[in-house]
Amino acid sequence: MRLTGTIASGIRLPIISPGEDLVEIIIENVLRVIDSDGKKLDKNDIIAVTEAIVAKSEGNFAKISDIASDIRAKFGDTEIGLVYPILSRNRFLNILKGVALGAKKVHVLLSYPHDEVGNPIIDIDLLDEITDKLAGKSVTAKEFQAVAGKYKHTFTGMDYVEIYENVNENISVYFSNDPRDILKYTKNVLVAEIHNRNRTRERLLKAGAEKVFTLSDILSESVNGSGFNSLYGVLGSNLSTDDTLKLFPNKSQEFVNAVQAGFREKTGISPEVMVYGDGAFKDPVCGIWELADPVVSPGYTERLGQKPTEIKMKLAADTVFGSLRGDEKREAVTKMIKEKNAAPDAYSEGTTPRVYADLVGSLCDLVGGSGDKGTPVILVRGYFDDYSVE
């Protein structure tokens, strides 16, 4: 019986610069690691690459001035409303700077008790009191803080209302949990939500908004020679410098296909390959959902788009095979796993059949980290195996 299951290993690479042949760099370093372990590449191996180095190798960057140009092109010289941005210097501050530079005035609407991905903006213990006093009204930041007080983020210690207000003298901040309240100030709206953007856009249009765009529409094409993302615009972008954003990679699918083809050419084996961003998991202390990217994976090979078929092993072991012991129990459970398609539905309940790319991407985000580990490639082995595989 094999004693290990899934193993995920971070692989260090040289620091990547725009224009480098990332495909070849990854293939060379992954094969070097596998060879050093005395093993061979397997078709069930997964090579996961963080979106950051894919975007860097593409040179997919844009400046604040590029965002401003796109805002003016889409809205004209007017006041705009900005609905439900997340609370993040890394993820949103440069976007806000670009929007403020391109608009006559910006009305920023925030939600409470937290933003879309769980960043808190009040002390949650005060929520009932705040809700009763505000009675569903739209209020200015000053009026809101008179009731809720000023709040600093649990992890960063930042007051995001203050940070956003101080970007530009033409920015005003309001609070409401009804996005349609932005229409009290302007009929031209930029929806800053990540995952709920399409629903909010439709609600605003039905309520009388004249122009509504989402962040996925901003820099969906190159502006002044800038980088862009045809699917997600500035969603998934990160701070690069004080006036520059690194955008979500624009050619992720082409990239993973090229990596897989490169491994096949060198070894005869086609591993699964994916680009990963933020994993989808919730922090138990602060309540942040973490998924600030529009998707966990913007590009992956075919098998990773499927869902696992599994049985609930502990349920089977404790019920139908509860009276067995030792090798007899192991053999009975193994037989059921091998014949899992014939197992009763009850034994697959609770296995959460999410798409492989989302599951593996969340694993890789935790293994790779977001700081100074220096392992932008994750080699995942044994993920497709189950207990029956020797």
Side-chain angles (χ1 to χ4, degrees), residues 1 50 64 70 81 85 98 126 170 261 272 276 346 373:
M1 176 177 144
T50 180
I64 288 170
D70 207 9
L126 300 176
N170 293 324
E272 301 303 321
Y276 73 92
K373 286 186 172 59

Side-chain angles (χ1 to χ4, degrees), residues 239-355:
L239 176 74
S240 179
T241 69
D242 286 343
D243 69 346
T244 307
L245 284 171
K246 178 202 66 63
L247 303 179
F248 217 39
N250 194 45
K251 298 180 179 178
S252 296
Q253 194 58 49
E254 295 95 322
F255 172 78
V256 299
N257 291 342
V259 173
Q260 187 181 59
F263 275 113
R264 182 168 58 247
E265 181 180 341
K266 286 184 179 292
T267 68
I269 301 297
S270 298
E272 301 303 321
V273 185
M274 66 180 293
V275 175
Y276 73 92
D278 276 347
F281 46 84
K282 188 172 182 177
D283 179 81
V285 174
C286 192
I288 302 173
W289 179 31
E290 275 297 317
L291 189 54
D293 287 326
V295 289
V296 173
S297 174
Y300 46 84
T301 48
E302 184 176 359
R303 189 178 182 186
L304 294 172
Q306 300 172 3
K307 297 179 181 179
T309 301
E310 300 176 318
I311 68 165
K312 198 76 170 178
M313 184 170 158
K314 61 185 179 183
L315 179 62
D318 293 345
T319 54
V320 66
F321 304 124
S323 62
L324 303 180
R325 294 290 185 273
D327 288 344
E328 187 179 12
K329 190 169 192 174
R330 178 177 62 80
E331 290 170 5
V333 171
T334 298
K335 184 175 184 294
M336 175 178 273
I337 292 172
K338 288 181 177 179
E339 300 171 354
K340 65 179 68 175
N341 291 332
D345 289 343
Y347 293 107
S348 64
E349 291 177 0
T351 55
T352 317
R354 295 164 58 199
V355 171

